[in-house]
């Protein structure tokens, strides 16, 4: 297993032979080779013959699937401020390990990404390692939910979207003004939906398991009420909204209705919500303490159905690194969140392909094309002439996910000990080898 | 994995095993009636009494139980410990684990903390109450008290009244009483009951008057003001009207029924002063002090079980 030299600027010549190409846009797959010259996809066809064969790295992808590089639209990189948990470079490595070539990072850093110089800083750090990081800026200054950030200036600096992720915007009027103003710049709002009055003090899903375990619950209403509110505000303001980490059945239903009603809305869920239900809480493993909480089985089934019928557009990792110190505590005291870049594809494949019979093309769309379209960024497609961002995956392998295998600086994964299918074999980012699993 | 005998909850104990524990408790209760209330059963064993949360009766009860079995007991108060000097809980646990004791009794304010603790130490752990989760020794002493009074358990009607949401006593008792074939009704207003309580397989009532004339055991819970993170109950006046045990309600109870409470009682809240005043003279009906006495015998039985 090795990682490419991220800081090198030189592009590579790569020929991927005999793989099965996944095209999420056309929802098709076919056998072909892909030729990358000087970092650019030159050809996608069967039996490519190449004249200048000396400096071409050849990858034998027989039996493997060749996908557009994955796009993770919800990641916490902890830089600036908490680099001991993760930084942009370590996050990028973790992402490459997971086949992810582009990611949007959330603004709840120290300081909060609510001003242009911080957006520039993230972009500069990403350029240094030639990785695609798209900064999301805060909706409100310091995520306090009191005053709007400089939305116009932040759009100009390259903020890909706006979010107060980690918190919901409690003040409905402020959220409304944010949307009306954001609409002027065609800004995208990525909304963490949480009504604090229903979640304060809560640590797990309000349900049977919170009742017997004596853990303070967070009702689905905490999410559902805010989803309902923001659908209404978006309908009136016309702003583009994206509900992130949808966890509850009723929220899926509300979003389904809003889409039918023509509201400018999309949404994602995170792997935990399609993989687990709250019965896993019984051993008080703090790696399952996340927000929104892992919900009941009926919620999980609704999430899977939402993915199947297209109500849910994307799957994100909500990669939230925490030091062991923050997790090796009582359930009440432990921090919320789990890492997920390295399991985004595997967890989705395991549950959706092997158990729920979603097609591979569909799953790849959920983690590449769709989030790229929502964020309005490059990626999600393999086409000639564009820079090579490619994930080559094996779907046959099956392993128990282990803590030791985690590349991220933080090891707080919910999937430790789970049987996961699939493996990332190669990741090509911006025309260079980023990760190779050989 | 290790085979240490943790007592984190009574879930792992079957009906047979619990019945056996009740019978064994009799022999420990007999010791407590002797002039010399001490046996050498656990001589040479060291027990740590580790209380991260304030307690009087449970702590003293465990201390008496350990000493009457001739174990050496060390009290550890989190309030005067290194936790206040900035040592993290995991390091405190490892420090205590390094001291080579034989058993640790723990109380902690967070649900599930003791499960976490048990994973990190080599010796048996006895749960003396964790957050809102479990209080297994209280449940067993309550069961023992009922068993001594009625001599059988199956079919007995019990109502558990009060702040179910925040009560570890309620959670442990509901499970244990149900397991032993008792007919359990939970009495609480909506905001003092978990939203999804159906899984416990009990009956429900919102008002004490719905059950008072029909039950064999009235189990009043402490109104846990200190454990309520979300306060929605309107007032004490409202509580008294719908949920408290006052004299009129007390007098309307069945002839052979009993009243229990895990203590400490908030006089005038869950039980009126008038009713509390007759508890000394009427020990046949009000079993609150009997529960405390039985607690020592039950804990002796459990410590003996965990270390033998």
């Amino acid at each position: 297993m090795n990682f490419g030299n991220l800081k090198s600027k030189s592009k590579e010549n790569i020929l991927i032979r005999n793989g099965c190409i996944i095209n999420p846009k056309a929802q098709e797959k076919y056998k072909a080779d892909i030729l990358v010259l000087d970092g650019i996809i030159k050809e996608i066809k069967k039996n490519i013959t190449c004249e200048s064969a000396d400096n071409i790295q050849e990858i034998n992808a027989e039996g493997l699937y060749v996908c557009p590089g994955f796009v993770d639209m919800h990641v916490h990189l902890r830089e600036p401020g908490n680099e001991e948990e993760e930084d942009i470079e370590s996050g990028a490595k973790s992402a490459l390990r997971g086949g992810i070539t582009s990611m949007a990072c959330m603004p709840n850093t120290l300081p909060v990404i609510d001003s242009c110089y911080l957006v520039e800083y993230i972009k500069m750090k990403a350029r240094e390692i030639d990785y695609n990081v798209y900064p999301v800026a805060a909706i409100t200054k310091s995520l306090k939910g009191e005053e709007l950030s400089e939305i116009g200036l932040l759009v100009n600096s390259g903020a890909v979207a706006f979010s107060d992720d980690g918190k919901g915007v409690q003040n409905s009027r402020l959220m409304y003004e944010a949307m009306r103003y954001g609409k002027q710049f065609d800004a995208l709002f990525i909304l963490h939906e949480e009504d604090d009055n229903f979640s304060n003090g809560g640590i797990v899903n309000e349900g049977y398991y919170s009742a017997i375990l004596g853990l303070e619950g967070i009702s689905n209403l905490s999410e559902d009420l805010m989803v309902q509110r923001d659908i209404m505000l978006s309908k009136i303001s016309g702003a583009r909204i994206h509900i992130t980490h949808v966890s509850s059945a009723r929220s899926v239903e509300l979003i389904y209705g809003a889409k039918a009603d023509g509201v400018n809305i999309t949404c994602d869920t995170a792997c935990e919500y399609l993989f687990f239900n709250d019965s896993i809480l019984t051993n008080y493993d703090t790696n399952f303490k996340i927000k929104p909480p892992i919900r009941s089985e009926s919620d999980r089934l609704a999430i899977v159905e939402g993915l199947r019928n297209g109500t849910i557009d994307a799957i994100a990792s909500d990669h939230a690194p925490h030091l062991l110190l923050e997790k090796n505590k009582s359930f009440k005291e432990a921090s919320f969140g789990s890492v997920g870049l390295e399991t985004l594809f595997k967890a989705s494949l395991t549950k959706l392909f092997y158990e729920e019979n979603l097609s591979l093309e569909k799953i790849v769309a959920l983690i590449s094309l769709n989030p790229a379209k929502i964020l309005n960024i490059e990626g999600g497609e393999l086409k000639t002439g564009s820079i090579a961002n490619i994930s080559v995956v094996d779907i046959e392998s099956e392993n128990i996910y282990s803590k030791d295998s985690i590349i991220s600086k933080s090891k707080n994964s919910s999937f430790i000990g789970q049987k996961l299918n699939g493996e990332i074999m190669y990741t090509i980012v911006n025309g260079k080898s980023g990760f190779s699993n050989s | 994995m290790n085979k240490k005998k943790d007592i984190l909850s009574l879930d792992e104990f079957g009906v047979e095993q619990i019945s056996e524990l009740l019978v064994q408790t009799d022999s420990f209760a007999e010791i407590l009636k002797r002039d010399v209330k001490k046996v050498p059963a656990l001589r040479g064993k060291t027990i740590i009494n580790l209380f991260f949360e304030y307690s009087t009766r449970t702590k003293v009860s465990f201390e008496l139980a350990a000493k009457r079995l001739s174990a050496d007991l060390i009290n550890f108060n989190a309030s005067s410990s290194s936790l206040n000097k900035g040592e993290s809980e995991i390091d405190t646990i490892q420090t205590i684990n390094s001291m080579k004791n034989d058993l640790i009794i723990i109380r902690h304010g967070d649900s599930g903390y003791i499960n976490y603790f048990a994973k990190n130490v080599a010796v048996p752990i006895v749960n003396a109450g964790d957050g809102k989760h479990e209080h297994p020794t209280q449940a067993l002493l309550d069961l023992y008290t009922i068993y001594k009074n009625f001599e059988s358990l199956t079919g007995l009607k019990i109502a558990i009244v009060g702040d179910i949401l925040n009560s570890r006593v309620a959670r442990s008792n509901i499970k244990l009483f149900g397991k032993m074939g008792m007919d359990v009704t939970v009495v609480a207003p909506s905001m003092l009951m978990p939203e999804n309580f159906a899984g416990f397989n009990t009956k429900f009532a919102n008002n004490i008057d719905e059950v008072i004339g029909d039950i064999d055991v009235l189990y009043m819970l402490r109104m846990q003001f200190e454990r309520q993170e979300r306060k929605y109950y309107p007032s004490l006046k409202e509580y008294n009207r719908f949920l408290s045990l006052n004299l009129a309600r007390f007098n309307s109870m069945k002839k052979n029924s009993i009243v229990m409470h895990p203590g400490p009682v908030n006089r005038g809240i869950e039980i009126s002063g008038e009713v509390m005043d007759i508890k000394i003279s009427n020990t046949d009906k009000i079993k609150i002090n009997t529960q405390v006495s039985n607690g020592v015998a039950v804990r002796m039985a459990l410590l003996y079980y965990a270390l033998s």
Side-chain angles (χ1 to χ4, degrees), chain A residues 176 179 193 225-239 241 258 261 263 265:
Chain A
Y176 179 57
M179 286 195 203
E193 301 294 32
L225 285 170
M226 291 304 234
V227 168
Q228 176 82 291
R229 179 197 76 174
D230 290 334
I231 286 171
M232 192 180 289
L233 296 181
S234 166
K235 190 173 164 70
I236 295 168
S237 66
I241 63 170
D261 194 25
V263 175
I265 186 172

Side-chain angles (χ1 to χ4, degrees), chain A residues 382-421:
Chain A
L382 296 172
K383 55 182 183 195
T384 51
S386 62
I387 188 104
N389 284 300
I390 304 173
S391 306
V392 181
V393 301
D394 165 31
I395 68 164
E396 303 291 332
S397 75
E398 179 180 301
N399 284 300
I400 302 296
Y401 193 63
S402 81
K403 192 172 177 172
D404 298 337
S405 74
I406 299 175
I407 299 294
S408 165
K409 282 189 185 177
S410 294
K411 313 296 176 193
N412 54 309
S413 167
S414 309
F415 292 98
I416 293 167
Q418 299 293 327
K419 181 177 72 65
L420 294 183
N421 294 102

Side-chain angles (χ1 to χ4, degrees), chain A residues 99-151:
Chain A
I100 295 160
T101 54
S102 300
M103 56 189 169
C105 65
M106 288 297 160
N108 60 339
T109 47
L110 283 173
V112 169
I113 304 173
D114 61 359
S115 45
C116 297
Y117 83 92
L118 286 163
V119 171
E120 301 285 358
Y121 171 81
I122 304 283
K123 285 165 61 185
M124 180 192 79
K125 295 291 279 191
R127 266 197 311 276
E128 278 176 14
I129 55 169
D130 203 3
Y131 188 87
N132 306 305
V133 180
Y134 296 91
V136 177
I139 300 170
T140 67
K141 286 178 187 146
S142 305
L143 304 177
K144 282 188 177 158
E146 291 165 0
E147 291 172 75
L148 294 187
S149 320
E150 296 164 330
I151 289 176

Side-chain angles (χ1 to χ4, degrees), chain B residues 24-157:
Chain B
Q24 282 162 11
T25 301
D26 272 340
S27 56
F28 290 101
E30 184 270 321
I31 295 166
L32 298 177
K33 290 180 187 140
R34 296 181 194 166
D35 284 344
V36 178
K37 302 177 179 60
K38 192 159 182 163
V39 290
L42 297 182
R43 194 163 56 196
K45 301 286 186 187
T46 307
I47 294 175
I48 301 216
N49 219 9
L50 177 55
F51 278 66
F52 290 95
E53 193 184 62
Y54 184 77
S55 159
T56 309
R57 70 192 62 214
T58 306
K59 192 168 152 191
V60 170
S61 181
F62 269 113
E63 188 166 352
L64 279 171
K67 288 185 170 166
R68 288 183 167 162
L69 294 169
S70 304
D72 297 313
L73 181 128
I74 293 156
N75 275 307
F76 179 104
N77 290 312
S79 56
S80 59
S81 80
S82 313
L83 280 174
N84 283 355
K85 298 176 192 163
E87 188 178 46
S88 79
E89 286 184 348
I90 184 71
D91 294 329
T92 304
I93 291 168
Q94 282 162 5
T95 304
I96 291 164
N97 195 31
S98 307
M99 289 174 182
K100 305 294 175 212
N101 48 73
D102 298 294
L103 181 143
I104 304 174
I105 298 159
I106 312 174
R107 167 169 291 189
H108 196 281
D110 292 352
S111 303
Y113 179 86
I114 288 164
N115 303 55
Y116 159 73
F117 195 111
K119 276 184 243 166
N120 287 290
V121 298
V123 298
I125 300 297
V126 176
N127 185 351
D130 65 321
K132 304 168 186 178
H133 180 216
E134 286 268 8
H135 196 350
T137 63
Q138 177 74 43
L140 198 64
L141 79 86
D142 290 335
L143 188 75
Y144 182 71
T145 304
I146 296 167
Y147 161 73
K148 294 308 280 182
N149 190 75
F150 293 98
E151 286 176 354
S152 79
L153 296 166
T154 315
L156 281 179
K157 288 184 179 173

Side-chain angles (χ1 to χ4, degrees), chain B residues 198-266:
Chain B
F200 282 120
N201 297 316
T202 61
K203 297 173 186 164
F204 302 97
N206 293 129
N207 183 329
I208 193 170
D209 293 318
E210 294 174 42
V211 297
I212 191 88
D214 188 41
I215 48 177
D216 302 300
V217 181
L218 178 65
Y219 196 100
M220 303 300 287
L221 291 171
R222 184 178 155 74
M223 187 65 181
Q224 307 240 58
F225 290 110
E226 75 276 14
R227 218 178 291 287
Q228 274 183 45
E229 286 168 32
R230 298 154 168 185
K231 296 181 178 65
Y232 297 111
Y233 200 76
S235 72
L236 175 57
K237 195 173 165 189
E238 186 122 341
Y239 198 87
N240 284 338
R241 171 67 185 78
F242 297 108
L243 294 157
S244 300
L245 181 63
N246 56 28
L247 200 56
R249 286 176 175 139
F250 181 72
N251 289 331
S252 73
M253 291 178 68
K254 280 199 320 202
K255 188 162 170 284
N256 293 319
S257 60
I258 59 172
V259 175
M260 297 172 70
H261 189 294
V265 175
N266 294 302

